[in-house]
Structures are given as C-alpha cells and as structure tokens.
Amino acid sequence: MTRPADLARIEDDLARGLAGAAAFGAAAALVLGDRSWVFAHGLARPGQAVTAATPFHICSCAKTFTAAVFSRLVQDGSTTWDTPVHGLVPEFEFGDPAVTRDCTFRDLATMRTGLGRDGIAEWGIRQDLPKAVRLARVRYMGSVSPFRSTFSYSNLGYIALSLAAERLTGKPYPPLVRELLCAPLGLVDSYSAGFTSAPGDHTASPCLPIAGVPVSVRDLTGPNSEGSARMQLSGRDAARWMRFLLTALGGSDAGPLSSASVQAMATPQTAVKDPDVRMAPQAGAGCAYGMGLFATRWHAQPLLRHGGGGRGWRHVMALAPEAQAGVMLMASAESPLVDGLALQLLEALTGREPAGWGTAFVRAATDAARKEQDRLASLFPVDAAVPPQPLRMGAYANAVTGQVQLQAGEDGIRLVPADAPDFNATLQPLGGAVYRLDFDEPALSPQALDPPFRLRVAGTASAPVLDTSYFGRLRSVA
C-alpha cells in the first residue's frame, strides 16, 4: 500500500539525515514521473551556500555517465561492446596474455576483469600523469578473482573506457561528454573535469571531520581518474539526468540514447558475490552489475543504484523504474548514512513508510571496516614492549607503486612516494618492526572506517624489504 509523497516530511527527514551524517553541504534531486524537486542544504564551501545550480564532484556516480557515453558510440556504430580492448588501448595489458587478448569493452563496463582495488594505480597515483601511463601499471597488478567469474569493482576499467572513447572520436573526454549528453539533455551546470577542464570556485568542496570539526579539504581525485569519476553535477541537472534515464527505461527513445541502449545499461550482467544490505537492501534479492548501474530488487520491484565516494564526499543515485521515481543525494560528508538516507527518501517519495536504511547501512559499513581493520592488524601485529626496529634510509620500489624514499626528517623518518605525493607521511614506531603512517595531507586525516596504514620491516640488513598495507612489498633499490 502506497500513499502520496509528503514533501514537507521528505524535506524534514532529509535535513535530519544530513545532520546525522555531519554533511557540510548537500543537494538532493527527486523525480516522480514528470515532476521534480531539488533541495539544497548547507555550504558548498566556506562562505558560499549550496544552490540548485551548485556542481558536486559525484565521484563513482560518474560511471553511469561513462557507460552512457560509450553506449552512444556503440549505438552510432563506432565500436561494439564485444570489441577487444587491446586494439584501441594497448596500454591496458594484464599479466595474463590470454586475458589481454580476450578482454572486451563489455568486460570493463560490467566489472568482470578480476582486477581489485589495491595499490596506487587504482587510487592515489599522481594526477598529472596521462591516463595511459596510469593504465600501463595494470600488467603488474594481481587479480582478486578469475577473469569473467564474478563482480570485482575497479576504477581502472572505466578510466580505460574514457580513453577508448577519446581515441574513437579524436576528442578529449570533457567536450565529448558535453556533446553527447550534457547539451542534448540541457545539463547546464555540469561537465566532466579532466585535463582540459577543472572545477571552478562555484563548485562544492569535500569536507571531513577533523578533531571533531568539519573541515573543507582538497579533492584528491584528479584528471586521470576521468571516466571512473570527475563528473561535476548540480542538483537541478541531476533531476534532468534521472528523468532521462527513467523515461528511456520506460521505453522512450526521445533522448541522446535509445531506450534499448539504456535498458542494456540496466540489465544485470555480472553477479555480486555475497552482497550485504548496501548492495541488496531486500534480503535474498541478490545484486548484479550492469553497465554503470547496480541492479537488485526492492519492495518486489527493480531497483537501480550507484554510489560514489572519496575523501570528504558521499553520493548515491537510486532509481525505481516501475514507479518512474528517482533520488540523487550528493553530500560533502564522510558517512554511509547518506546511502541509506537516499533509500529512505525514495520510499517517502513513492508513498511508502520510510524504513531505517541509514542505520542499516552504517552498521554494514562499520562491520566491513572492522573486518578489514582486524585483517590488517593480524598482518601487522604490534608489540609495544619491543623496541623499534631500525629502518634503512634510501629508495625502495615495486612495479605498481614505483619508487618510495625513506628519508630522515626533522620530526622523524619520512616516507615519500614519488608517484603518490598525496601519501607523503611521517613514520611513527608502534613497536618492533611495525610503523604507522601519519600523512601530511589533511584530506587523509584518519577516519573511523579507514583501514590502518602500516609498514613493517622485513628482509635482511643487507637486503631490506618493506611490507606495507597499501603500497605492497617494497624492495630496496641499490
């Protein structure tokens, strides 16, 4: 049983939820049939209020845009989903030659390459490097699952799709997104911020709680992440974007993509193994990835979602196609409560009594974080009673991370990764061979759900090795 949407209650629930998430600023777009509403809350950056026209960097929610751009190129006959990647993006090479040979654009879009999320090639690499240079490190990365066996989230596949789109069209990605999506849909505030464009002062900035105080921080996801991220979207444009997707899913061809192309994006293609409530809110419904959209069932109807996050960001889009309803919530926050709040708003919008999804999402995220924290604690055991083991200064390296220097600094030993300068840190001894990384970058200030960043001295005095929780095993460079 459903009842009409209560907009006053929706706005009140939104305000309370955002306060609970400690959001510095936020925009929420709601669509129901041919009606839409945009709510703006808080500050885009210090001294500047969020408005319906404020662009937010939507992080991984950009993958839906990338899937749409590539779908348009497929629709126009420029390529096919089942074309091998290596012919157009030879830099995207796997350690297994057979996977390199067989991997197609569909494999990238449906997240079934087997790549995981470890290492700076996945996140944290210098953003002045070209996309092709970043992608070339894939050949040195291990797999977390066999090729085409199951869903494994990777930003690198979508970066490769954006580079392939550039090479197919001979155009940089930002004007391509504008030409194929933003202009036809009337997205007047929104754009892809790659090497040829950058966010302006009117955009929202990410925000983190540091020492209990909300602080605007630098956005750490830069130009060579385009395709997996870097889309800037305003609240009013988010409403237009969702209405286009919903009408296309409903059978309309009146847009830059055919109904068949959008329906293919929403079709489950790669199963998510053992999804928790954040992937499959309805118990037993299962979850799969299409192309830029997660697909599950909720209230016995299809539910399409994609989330996005970075340091100081949390965003989510949730679509209920049968109800022609959608919610996009974009927040300068660092809380999984935002994802649950979007589902609560979607329930209220479609006339249902909102459930406590925010609490459920926070619990699931906390449980997952604790498991990862416990796993890393077991790999880097600390005995504070043991004197610190000395570290040998100099250069260390591996093929994915590149070169890292250990240097003596005024406040202690410094870790300086040449290809990941955001991770410059001071090493703090925890006991024995284990050290903690204290990062210089405010946007990497420790948060409750973060994994611990640890370094352990291994090897021998003549051939020292550093085992790390993020940079992998680093060997001494003679």
Side-chain angles (χ1 to χ4, degrees), residues 46-84:
Q48 182 176 319
V50 174
T51 72
T54 300
F56 284 74
H57 171 205
I58 59 173
C59 303
S60 285
C61 290
K63 290 180 173 68
T64 313
F65 280 85
T66 305
V69 166
F70 212 84
S71 293
R72 173 62 183 272
L73 298 180
V74 170
Q75 181 179 300
D76 291 347
S78 298
T79 188
T80 73
W81 282 115
D82 298 313
T83 297

PDB file of all heavy atoms in Angstrom, residues 46-84:
ATOM      1  N   PRO A  46      33.323  27.218   2.351  1.00  0.00           N
ATOM      2  CA  PRO A  46      33.160  28.247   3.378  1.00  0.00           C
ATOM      3  C   PRO A  46      32.666  29.571   2.799  1.00  0.00           C
ATOM      4  O   PRO A  46      33.242  30.109   1.851  1.00  0.00           O
ATOM      5  CB  PRO A  46      34.570  28.378   3.967  1.00  0.00           C
ATOM      6  CG  PRO A  46      35.159  27.016   3.791  1.00  0.00           C
ATOM      7  CD  PRO A  46      34.634  26.530   2.480  1.00  0.00           C
ATOM      8  N   GLY A  47      31.567  30.070   3.357  1.00  0.00           N
ATOM      9  CA  GLY A  47      31.015  31.356   2.954  1.00  0.00           C
ATOM     10  C   GLY A  47      30.133  31.320   1.723  1.00  0.00           C
ATOM     11  O   GLY A  47      29.650  32.371   1.283  1.00  0.00           O
ATOM     12  N   GLN A  48      29.882  30.139   1.146  1.00  0.00           N
ATOM     13  CA  GLN A  48      29.086  30.040  -0.077  1.00  0.00           C
ATOM     14  C   GLN A  48      28.044  28.934   0.075  1.00  0.00           C
ATOM     15  O   GLN A  48      28.379  27.768   0.253  1.00  0.00           O
ATOM     16  CB  GLN A  48      30.000  29.731  -1.276  1.00  0.00           C
ATOM     17  CG  GLN A  48      29.284  29.657  -2.611  1.00  0.00           C
ATOM     18  CD  GLN A  48      30.268  29.446  -3.746  1.00  0.00           C
ATOM     19  OE1 GLN A  48      31.348  30.038  -3.771  1.00  0.00           O
ATOM     20  NE2 GLN A  48      29.904  28.597  -4.687  1.00  0.00           N
ATOM     21  N   ALA A  49      26.773  29.306   0.007  1.00  0.00           N
ATOM     22  CA  ALA A  49      25.688  28.347   0.205  1.00  0.00           C
ATOM     23  C   ALA A  49      25.508  27.447  -1.012  1.00  0.00           C
ATOM     24  O   ALA A  49      25.746  27.853  -2.154  1.00  0.00           O
ATOM     25  CB  ALA A  49      24.381  29.086   0.490  1.00  0.00           C
ATOM     26  N   VAL A  50      25.087  26.226  -0.771  1.00  0.00           N
ATOM     27  CA  VAL A  50      24.687  25.328  -1.856  1.00  0.00           C
ATOM     28  C   VAL A  50      23.397  25.844  -2.472  1.00  0.00           C
ATOM     29  O   VAL A  50      22.487  26.273  -1.766  1.00  0.00           O
ATOM     30  CB  VAL A  50      24.477  23.893  -1.326  1.00  0.00           C
ATOM     31  CG1 VAL A  50      23.913  22.989  -2.434  1.00  0.00           C
ATOM     32  CG2 VAL A  50      25.765  23.315  -0.770  1.00  0.00           C
ATOM     33  N   THR A  51      23.315  25.807  -3.793  1.00  0.00           N
ATOM     34  CA  THR A  51      22.082  26.124  -4.509  1.00  0.00           C
ATOM     35  C   THR A  51      21.760  24.970  -5.443  1.00  0.00           C
ATOM     36  O   THR A  51      22.545  24.021  -5.582  1.00  0.00           O
ATOM     37  CB  THR A  51      22.216  27.412  -5.336  1.00  0.00           C
ATOM     38  OG1 THR A  51      23.064  27.155  -6.474  1.00  0.00           O
ATOM     39  CG2 THR A  51      22.802  28.558  -4.515  1.00  0.00           C
ATOM     40  N   ALA A  52      20.634  25.059  -6.111  1.00  0.00           N
ATOM     41  CA  ALA A  52      20.255  24.020  -7.072  1.00  0.00           C
ATOM     42  C   ALA A  52      21.232  23.944  -8.234  1.00  0.00           C
ATOM     43  O   ALA A  52      21.288  22.932  -8.943  1.00  0.00           O
ATOM     44  CB  ALA A  52      18.842  24.278  -7.593  1.00  0.00           C
ATOM     45  N   ALA A  53      22.018  25.011  -8.449  1.00  0.00           N
ATOM     46  CA  ALA A  53      22.967  25.062  -9.567  1.00  0.00           C
ATOM     47  C   ALA A  53      24.400  24.728  -9.158  1.00  0.00           C
ATOM     48  O   ALA A  53      25.301  24.788  -9.987  1.00  0.00           O
ATOM     49  CB  ALA A  53      22.935  26.452 -10.198  1.00  0.00           C
ATOM     50  N   THR A  54      24.634  24.380  -7.880  1.00  0.00           N
ATOM     51  CA  THR A  54      25.983  24.085  -7.406  1.00  0.00           C
ATOM     52  C   THR A  54      26.442  22.722  -7.903  1.00  0.00           C
ATOM     53  O   THR A  54      25.817  21.705  -7.592  1.00  0.00           O
ATOM     54  CB  THR A  54      26.039  24.097  -5.866  1.00  0.00           C
ATOM     55  OG1 THR A  54      25.661  25.386  -5.388  1.00  0.00           O
ATOM     56  CG2 THR A  54      27.444  23.759  -5.375  1.00  0.00           C
ATOM     57  N   PRO A  55      27.545  22.647  -8.665  1.00  0.00           N
ATOM     58  CA  PRO A  55      28.047  21.336  -9.082  1.00  0.00           C
ATOM     59  C   PRO A  55      28.796  20.630  -7.938  1.00  0.00           C
ATOM     60  O   PRO A  55      29.553  21.254  -7.202  1.00  0.00           O
ATOM     61  CB  PRO A  55      29.004  21.646 -10.231  1.00  0.00           C
ATOM     62  CG  PRO A  55      28.733  23.077 -10.615  1.00  0.00           C
ATOM     63  CD  PRO A  55      28.260  23.742  -9.363  1.00  0.00           C
ATOM     64  N   PHE A  56      28.529  19.333  -7.806  1.00  0.00           N
ATOM     65  CA  PHE A  56      29.259  18.457  -6.893  1.00  0.00           C
ATOM     66  C   PHE A  56      30.059  17.457  -7.717  1.00  0.00           C
ATOM     67  O   PHE A  56      29.578  16.963  -8.739  1.00  0.00           O
ATOM     68  CB  PHE A  56      28.289  17.665  -5.999  1.00  0.00           C
ATOM     69  CG  PHE A  56      27.676  18.437  -4.876  1.00  0.00           C
ATOM     70  CD1 PHE A  56      26.671  19.367  -5.115  1.00  0.00           C
ATOM     71  CD2 PHE A  56      28.077  18.227  -3.565  1.00  0.00           C
ATOM     72  CE1 PHE A  56      26.093  20.078  -4.079  1.00  0.00           C
ATOM     73  CE2 PHE A  56      27.506  18.932  -2.514  1.00  0.00           C
ATOM     74  CZ  PHE A  56      26.507  19.857  -2.774  1.00  0.00           C
ATOM     75  N   HIS A  57      31.264  17.148  -7.271  1.00  0.00           N
ATOM     76  CA  HIS A  57      32.026  16.065  -7.896  1.00  0.00           C
ATOM     77  C   HIS A  57      31.397  14.751  -7.433  1.00  0.00           C
ATOM     78  O   HIS A  57      31.524  14.375  -6.263  1.00  0.00           O
ATOM     79  CB  HIS A  57      33.491  16.146  -7.483  1.00  0.00           C
ATOM     80  CG  HIS A  57      34.282  14.952  -7.914  1.00  0.00           C
ATOM     81  ND1 HIS A  57      35.432  14.540  -7.269  1.00  0.00           N
ATOM     82  CD2 HIS A  57      34.093  14.055  -8.922  1.00  0.00           C
ATOM     83  CE1 HIS A  57      35.911  13.460  -7.858  1.00  0.00           C
ATOM     84  NE2 HIS A  57      35.111  13.143  -8.865  1.00  0.00           N
ATOM     85  N   ILE A  58      30.724  14.051  -8.339  1.00  0.00           N
ATOM     86  CA  ILE A  58      29.923  12.896  -7.929  1.00  0.00           C
ATOM     87  C   ILE A  58      30.713  11.591  -7.876  1.00  0.00           C
ATOM     88  O   ILE A  58      30.143  10.509  -7.716  1.00  0.00           O
ATOM     89  CB  ILE A  58      28.679  12.724  -8.827  1.00  0.00           C
ATOM     90  CG1 ILE A  58      29.063  12.539 -10.295  1.00  0.00           C
ATOM     91  CG2 ILE A  58      27.732  13.906  -8.632  1.00  0.00           C
ATOM     92  CD1 ILE A  58      27.877  12.184 -11.198  1.00  0.00           C
ATOM     93  N   CYS A  59      32.037  11.666  -8.007  1.00  0.00           N
ATOM     94  CA  CYS A  59      32.913  10.505  -7.812  1.00  0.00           C
ATOM     95  C   CYS A  59      32.443   9.340  -8.682  1.00  0.00           C
ATOM     96  O   CYS A  59      32.233   9.516  -9.864  1.00  0.00           O
ATOM     97  CB  CYS A  59      32.979  10.162  -6.322  1.00  0.00           C
ATOM     98  SG  CYS A  59      33.555  11.540  -5.293  1.00  0.00           S
ATOM     99  N   SER A  60      32.246   8.167  -8.111  1.00  0.00           N
ATOM    100  CA  SER A  60      31.952   6.991  -8.929  1.00  0.00           C
ATOM    101  C   SER A  60      30.559   6.989  -9.540  1.00  0.00           C
ATOM    102  O   SER A  60      30.286   6.151 -10.414  1.00  0.00           O
ATOM    103  CB  SER A  60      32.150   5.715  -8.106  1.00  0.00           C
ATOM    104  OG  SER A  60      33.530   5.455  -7.945  1.00  0.00           O
ATOM    105  N   CYS A  61      29.683   7.890  -9.131  1.00  0.00           N
ATOM    106  CA  CYS A  61      28.399   8.023  -9.835  1.00  0.00           C
ATOM    107  C   CYS A  61      28.632   8.464 -11.279  1.00  0.00           C
ATOM    108  O   CYS A  61      27.731   8.354 -12.120  1.00  0.00           O
ATOM    109  CB  CYS A  61      27.490   9.010  -9.118  1.00  0.00           C
ATOM    110  SG  CYS A  61      26.867   8.421  -7.529  1.00  0.00           S
ATOM    111  N   ALA A  62      29.837   8.948 -11.586  1.00  0.00           N
ATOM    112  CA  ALA A  62      30.202   9.301 -12.959  1.00  0.00           C
ATOM    113  C   ALA A  62      30.231   8.080 -13.867  1.00  0.00           C
ATOM    114  O   ALA A  62      30.149   8.220 -15.101  1.00  0.00           O
ATOM    115  CB  ALA A  62      31.559   9.992 -12.984  1.00  0.00           C
ATOM    116  N   LYS A  63      30.351   6.886 -13.303  1.00  0.00           N
ATOM    117  CA  LYS A  63      30.423   5.689 -14.141  1.00  0.00           C
ATOM    118  C   LYS A  63      29.159   5.494 -14.968  1.00  0.00           C
ATOM    119  O   LYS A  63      29.214   4.953 -16.075  1.00  0.00           O
ATOM    120  CB  LYS A  63      30.728   4.469 -13.276  1.00  0.00           C
ATOM    121  CG  LYS A  63      32.147   4.468 -12.705  1.00  0.00           C
ATOM    122  CD  LYS A  63      32.414   3.255 -11.849  1.00  0.00           C
ATOM    123  CE  LYS A  63      33.888   3.181 -11.429  1.00  0.00           C
ATOM    124  NZ  LYS A  63      34.286   4.246 -10.489  1.00  0.00           N
ATOM    125  N   THR A  64      28.012   5.934 -14.456  1.00  0.00           N
ATOM    126  CA  THR A  64      26.785   5.843 -15.246  1.00  0.00           C
ATOM    127  C   THR A  64      26.881   6.746 -16.470  1.00  0.00           C
ATOM    128  O   THR A  64      26.422   6.384 -17.561  1.00  0.00           O
ATOM    129  CB  THR A  64      25.567   6.230 -14.386  1.00  0.00           C
ATOM    130  OG1 THR A  64      25.631   5.553 -13.131  1.00  0.00           O
ATOM    131  CG2 THR A  64      24.270   5.840 -15.085  1.00  0.00           C
ATOM    132  N   PHE A  65      27.490   7.917 -16.325  1.00  0.00           N
ATOM    133  CA  PHE A  65      27.706   8.807 -17.466  1.00  0.00           C
ATOM    134  C   PHE A  65      28.664   8.158 -18.467  1.00  0.00           C
ATOM    135  O   PHE A  65      28.445   8.212 -19.684  1.00  0.00           O
ATOM    136  CB  PHE A  65      28.268  10.148 -17.003  1.00  0.00           C
ATOM    137  CG  PHE A  65      27.243  11.090 -16.458  1.00  0.00           C
ATOM    138  CD1 PHE A  65      26.848  11.035 -15.127  1.00  0.00           C
ATOM    139  CD2 PHE A  65      26.655  12.047 -17.278  1.00  0.00           C
ATOM    140  CE1 PHE A  65      25.897  11.903 -14.625  1.00  0.00           C
ATOM    141  CE2 PHE A  65      25.699  12.924 -16.784  1.00  0.00           C
ATOM    142  CZ  PHE A  65      25.313  12.856 -15.463  1.00  0.00           C
ATOM    143  N   THR A  66      29.739   7.555 -17.976  1.00  0.00           N
ATOM    144  CA  THR A  66      30.709   6.928 -18.874  1.00  0.00           C
ATOM    145  C   THR A  66      30.064   5.785 -19.645  1.00  0.00           C
ATOM    146  O   THR A  66      30.286   5.632 -20.860  1.00  0.00           O
ATOM    147  CB  THR A  66      31.911   6.406 -18.071  1.00  0.00           C
ATOM    148  OG1 THR A  66      32.458   7.485 -17.310  1.00  0.00           O
ATOM    149  CG2 THR A  66      32.984   5.834 -18.976  1.00  0.00           C
ATOM    150  N   ALA A  67      29.274   4.978 -18.956  1.00  0.00           N
ATOM    151  CA  ALA A  67      28.573   3.894 -19.645  1.00  0.00           C
ATOM    152  C   ALA A  67      27.636   4.449 -20.711  1.00  0.00           C
ATOM    153  O   ALA A  67      27.490   3.871 -21.796  1.00  0.00           O
ATOM    154  CB  ALA A  67      27.794   3.054 -18.633  1.00  0.00           C
ATOM    155  N   ALA A  68      27.009   5.580 -20.418  1.00  0.00           N
ATOM    156  CA  ALA A  68      26.103   6.201 -21.399  1.00  0.00           C
ATOM    157  C   ALA A  68      26.871   6.742 -22.600  1.00  0.00           C
ATOM    158  O   ALA A  68      26.437   6.593 -23.754  1.00  0.00           O
ATOM    159  CB  ALA A  68      25.298   7.311 -20.736  1.00  0.00           C
ATOM    160  N   VAL A  69      28.015   7.385 -22.365  1.00  0.00           N
ATOM    161  CA  VAL A  69      28.835   7.888 -23.470  1.00  0.00           C
ATOM    162  C   VAL A  69      29.259   6.740 -24.381  1.00  0.00           C
ATOM    163  O   VAL A  69      29.134   6.804 -25.607  1.00  0.00           O
ATOM    164  CB  VAL A  69      30.078   8.640 -22.935  1.00  0.00           C
ATOM    165  CG1 VAL A  69      31.095   8.868 -24.044  1.00  0.00           C
ATOM    166  CG2 VAL A  69      29.671   9.973 -22.322  1.00  0.00           C
ATOM    167  N   PHE A  70      29.763   5.671 -23.772  1.00  0.00           N
ATOM    168  CA  PHE A  70      30.236   4.550 -24.593  1.00  0.00           C
ATOM    169  C   PHE A  70      29.063   3.847 -25.278  1.00  0.00           C
ATOM    170  O   PHE A  70      29.188   3.392 -26.425  1.00  0.00           O
ATOM    171  CB  PHE A  70      31.043   3.563 -23.747  1.00  0.00           C
ATOM    172  CG  PHE A  70      32.134   2.890 -24.526  1.00  0.00           C
ATOM    173  CD1 PHE A  70      33.369   3.512 -24.693  1.00  0.00           C
ATOM    174  CD2 PHE A  70      31.931   1.660 -25.113  1.00  0.00           C
ATOM    175  CE1 PHE A  70      34.380   2.907 -25.428  1.00  0.00           C
ATOM    176  CE2 PHE A  70      32.923   1.044 -25.846  1.00  0.00           C
ATOM    177  CZ  PHE A  70      34.156   1.662 -26.014  1.00  0.00           C
ATOM    178  N   SER A  71      27.910   3.793 -24.601  1.00  0.00           N
ATOM    179  CA  SER A  71      26.715   3.217 -25.231  1.00  0.00           C
ATOM    180  C   SER A  71      26.330   3.997 -26.476  1.00  0.00           C
ATOM    181  O   SER A  71      25.895   3.413 -27.480  1.00  0.00           O
ATOM    182  CB  SER A  71      25.549   3.213 -24.242  1.00  0.00           C
ATOM    183  OG  SER A  71      25.775   2.326 -23.175  1.00  0.00           O
ATOM    184  N   ARG A  72      26.488   5.314 -26.429  1.00  0.00           N
ATOM    185  CA  ARG A  72      26.173   6.130 -27.595  1.00  0.00           C
ATOM    186  C   ARG A  72      27.130   5.814 -28.748  1.00  0.00           C
ATOM    187  O   ARG A  72      26.710   5.731 -29.915  1.00  0.00           O
ATOM    188  CB  ARG A  72      26.242   7.608 -27.216  1.00  0.00           C
ATOM    189  CG  ARG A  72      26.099   8.581 -28.386  1.00  0.00           C
ATOM    190  CD  ARG A  72      24.746   8.469 -29.110  1.00  0.00           C
ATOM    191  NE  ARG A  72      24.732   9.368 -30.244  1.00  0.00           N
ATOM    192  CZ  ARG A  72      24.349  10.646 -30.192  1.00  0.00           C
ATOM    193  NH1 ARG A  72      23.928  11.155 -29.035  1.00  0.00           N
ATOM    194  NH2 ARG A  72      24.379  11.398 -31.253  1.00  0.00           N
ATOM    195  N   LEU A  73      28.408   5.605 -28.455  1.00  0.00           N
ATOM    196  CA  LEU A  73      29.368   5.266 -29.507  1.00  0.00           C
ATOM    197  C   LEU A  73      29.053   3.891 -30.103  1.00  0.00           C
ATOM    198  O   LEU A  73      29.187   3.682 -31.312  1.00  0.00           O
ATOM    199  CB  LEU A  73      30.786   5.293 -28.947  1.00  0.00           C
ATOM    200  CG  LEU A  73      31.270   6.652 -28.419  1.00  0.00           C
ATOM    201  CD1 LEU A  73      32.696   6.548 -27.900  1.00  0.00           C
ATOM    202  CD2 LEU A  73      31.157   7.737 -29.480  1.00  0.00           C
ATOM    203  N   VAL A  74      28.609   2.968 -29.262  1.00  0.00           N
ATOM    204  CA  VAL A  74      28.179   1.661 -29.761  1.00  0.00           C
ATOM    205  C   VAL A  74      26.917   1.805 -30.614  1.00  0.00           C
ATOM    206  O   VAL A  74      26.802   1.231 -31.700  1.00  0.00           O
ATOM    207  CB  VAL A  74      27.942   0.694 -28.585  1.00  0.00           C
ATOM    208  CG1 VAL A  74      27.260  -0.588 -29.057  1.00  0.00           C
ATOM    209  CG2 VAL A  74      29.265   0.371 -27.882  1.00  0.00           C
ATOM    210  N   GLN A  75      25.987   2.595 -30.119  1.00  0.00           N
ATOM    211  CA  GLN A  75      24.734   2.823 -30.837  1.00  0.00           C
ATOM    212  C   GLN A  75      24.983   3.439 -32.206  1.00  0.00           C
ATOM    213  O   GLN A  75      24.300   3.104 -33.190  1.00  0.00           O
ATOM    214  CB  GLN A  75      23.855   3.741 -29.983  1.00  0.00           C
ATOM    215  CG  GLN A  75      22.489   4.066 -30.564  1.00  0.00           C
ATOM    216  CD  GLN A  75      21.698   4.956 -29.615  1.00  0.00           C
ATOM    217  OE1 GLN A  75      21.427   4.568 -28.486  1.00  0.00           O
ATOM    218  NE2 GLN A  75      21.335   6.152 -30.066  1.00  0.00           N
ATOM    219  N   ASP A  76      25.972   4.335 -32.285  1.00  0.00           N
ATOM    220  CA  ASP A  76      26.281   5.011 -33.553  1.00  0.00           C
ATOM    221  C   ASP A  76      27.145   4.162 -34.482  1.00  0.00           C
ATOM    222  O   ASP A  76      27.468   4.593 -35.599  1.00  0.00           O
ATOM    223  CB  ASP A  76      26.996   6.341 -33.278  1.00  0.00           C
ATOM    224  CG  ASP A  76      26.084   7.368 -32.632  1.00  0.00           C
ATOM    225  OD1 ASP A  76      24.854   7.144 -32.618  1.00  0.00           O
ATOM    226  OD2 ASP A  76      26.604   8.369 -32.125  1.00  0.00           O
ATOM    227  N   GLY A  77      27.590   2.986 -34.029  1.00  0.00           N
ATOM    228  CA  GLY A  77      28.384   2.103 -34.867  1.00  0.00           C
ATOM    229  C   GLY A  77      29.869   2.368 -34.839  1.00  0.00           C
ATOM    230  O   GLY A  77      30.618   1.808 -35.651  1.00  0.00           O
ATOM    231  N   SER A  78      30.348   3.201 -33.911  1.00  0.00           N
ATOM    232  CA  SER A  78      31.780   3.493 -33.832  1.00  0.00           C
ATOM    233  C   SER A  78      32.574   2.304 -33.309  1.00  0.00           C
ATOM    234  O   SER A  78      33.771   2.165 -33.595  1.00  0.00           O
ATOM    235  CB  SER A  78      32.030   4.709 -32.935  1.00  0.00           C
ATOM    236  OG  SER A  78      31.406   5.861 -33.455  1.00  0.00           O
ATOM    237  N   THR A  79      31.940   1.453 -32.513  1.00  0.00           N
ATOM    238  CA  THR A  79      32.581   0.267 -31.944  1.00  0.00           C
ATOM    239  C   THR A  79      31.476  -0.674 -31.493  1.00  0.00           C
ATOM    240  O   THR A  79      30.289  -0.421 -31.734  1.00  0.00           O
ATOM    241  CB  THR A  79      33.507   0.654 -30.769  1.00  0.00           C
ATOM    242  OG1 THR A  79      34.266  -0.491 -30.355  1.00  0.00           O
ATOM    243  CG2 THR A  79      32.719   1.206 -29.598  1.00  0.00           C
ATOM    244  N   THR A  80      31.850  -1.759 -30.823  1.00  0.00           N
ATOM    245  CA  THR A  80      30.873  -2.666 -30.217  1.00  0.00           C
ATOM    246  C   THR A  80      31.311  -2.959 -28.792  1.00  0.00           C
ATOM    247  O   THR A  80      32.493  -2.787 -28.437  1.00  0.00           O
ATOM    248  CB  THR A  80      30.773  -4.002 -30.980  1.00  0.00           C
ATOM    249  OG1 THR A  80      31.950  -4.791 -30.710  1.00  0.00           O
ATOM    250  CG2 THR A  80      30.628  -3.780 -32.477  1.00  0.00           C
ATOM    251  N   TRP A  81      30.393  -3.410 -27.980  1.00  0.00           N
ATOM    252  CA  TRP A  81      30.749  -3.782 -26.618  1.00  0.00           C
ATOM    253  C   TRP A  81      31.696  -4.975 -26.592  1.00  0.00           C
ATOM    254  O   TRP A  81      32.482  -5.132 -25.657  1.00  0.00           O
ATOM    255  CB  TRP A  81      29.493  -4.103 -25.802  1.00  0.00           C
ATOM    256  CG  TRP A  81      28.754  -2.894 -25.335  1.00  0.00           C
ATOM    257  CD1 TRP A  81      27.509  -2.497 -25.699  1.00  0.00           C
ATOM    258  CD2 TRP A  81      29.226  -1.908 -24.399  1.00  0.00           C
ATOM    259  NE1 TRP A  81      27.161  -1.326 -25.053  1.00  0.00           N
ATOM    260  CE2 TRP A  81      28.194  -0.950 -24.250  1.00  0.00           C
ATOM    261  CE3 TRP A  81      30.409  -1.741 -23.680  1.00  0.00           C
ATOM    262  CZ2 TRP A  81      28.320   0.158 -23.416  1.00  0.00           C
ATOM    263  CZ3 TRP A  81      30.539  -0.641 -22.837  1.00  0.00           C
ATOM    264  CH2 TRP A  81      29.502   0.291 -22.710  1.00  0.00           C
ATOM    265  N   ASP A  82      31.635  -5.818 -27.606  1.00  0.00           N
ATOM    266  CA  ASP A  82      32.427  -7.045 -27.598  1.00  0.00           C
ATOM    267  C   ASP A  82      33.715  -6.937 -28.401  1.00  0.00           C
ATOM    268  O   ASP A  82      34.359  -7.931 -28.717  1.00  0.00           O
ATOM    269  CB  ASP A  82      31.561  -8.211 -28.094  1.00  0.00           C
ATOM    270  CG  ASP A  82      30.378  -8.445 -27.161  1.00  0.00           C
ATOM    271  OD1 ASP A  82      30.603  -8.485 -25.935  1.00  0.00           O
ATOM    272  OD2 ASP A  82      29.231  -8.546 -27.643  1.00  0.00           O
ATOM    273  N   THR A  83      34.122  -5.704 -28.708  1.00  0.00           N
ATOM    274  CA  THR A  83      35.420  -5.451 -29.341  1.00  0.00           C
ATOM    275  C   THR A  83      36.527  -5.569 -28.292  1.00  0.00           C
ATOM    276  O   THR A  83      36.402  -5.030 -27.191  1.00  0.00           O
ATOM    277  CB  THR A  83      35.443  -4.042 -29.962  1.00  0.00           C
ATOM    278  OG1 THR A  83      34.455  -3.973 -30.990  1.00  0.00           O
ATOM    279  CG2 THR A  83      36.800  -3.724 -30.543  1.00  0.00           C
ATOM    280  N   PRO A  84      37.625  -6.283 -28.604  1.00  0.00           N
ATOM    281  CA  PRO A  84      38.733  -6.370 -27.638  1.00  0.00           C
ATOM    282  C   PRO A  84      39.319  -4.996 -27.319  1.00  0.00           C
ATOM    283  O   PRO A  84      39.463  -4.138 -28.197  1.00  0.00           O
ATOM    284  CB  PRO A  84      39.759  -7.254 -28.352  1.00  0.00           C
ATOM    285  CG  PRO A  84      38.952  -8.078 -29.306  1.00  0.00           C
ATOM    286  CD  PRO A  84      37.844  -7.155 -29.770  1.00  0.00           C
TER     287      PRO A  84
END
